[in-house]
Amino acid sequence: MFIVLLKYAAPLEQIDYALPDHREWVEKQYERGLFLASGRQVPRTGGVIITRPMPRGKLEALLATDPWAEQKLVKYEIYEFEATRTAPELVKLNESVLQP
């Protein structure tokens, strides 16, 4: 799984202007089943995305299609981890726990 930290690299006015396109992109990733959670950081300096397990290269290619990335409005920090324990209500989402 991955935790992706988005750091704004542009003024909030530019971020907000491109926000509808970014939200549409995020929604598509949920529809595809790739994202598990996402939202703004507090204070609002960027965002956070938690993804399903996938190859890192696939994630990097996916992030490159984010309108914010295409406009160079954000920078990404990607943290990969193996969730060896999961709350009972999240077990079905964590493929790594289900593997023998």
Side-chain angles (χ1 to χ4, degrees):
M1 300 177 87
F2 294 94
I3 295 175
V4 181
L5 300 181
L6 292 75
K7 301 287 184 183
Y8 296 149
L12 283 178
E13 295 80 23
Q14 288 179 272
I15 297 295
D16 288 341
Y17 183 78
L19 186 57
D21 292 335
H22 169 75
R23 284 186 176 154
E24 182 179 322
W25 175 83
V26 168
E27 183 60 32
K28 287 179 184 175
Q29 308 326 310
Y30 277 104
E31 289 170 3
R32 295 174 65 200
L34 300 176
F35 288 0
L36 298 175
S38 61
R40 294 180 177 168
Q41 292 183 31
V42 178
R44 191 174 173 211
T45 58
V48 178
I49 300 170
I50 300 174
T51 75
R52 286 189 179 272
M54 67 181 80
R56 186 181 182 103
K58 178 178 179 177
L59 175 60
E60 291 171 346
L62 177 66
L63 293 174
T65 67
D66 179 355
W68 279 353
E70 293 174 337
Q71 297 175 48
K72 301 191 182 339
L73 301 178
V74 295
K75 295 182 181 185
Y76 299 102
E77 294 179 25
I78 301 171
Y79 298 92
E80 184 172 5
F81 73 102
E82 292 183 15
T84 55
R85 293 189 64 178
T86 305
E89 52 274 2
L90 298 179
V91 168
K92 290 181 182 179
L93 300 176
N94 185 0
E95 290 90 343
S96 64
V97 171
L98 300 175
Q99 296 174 358

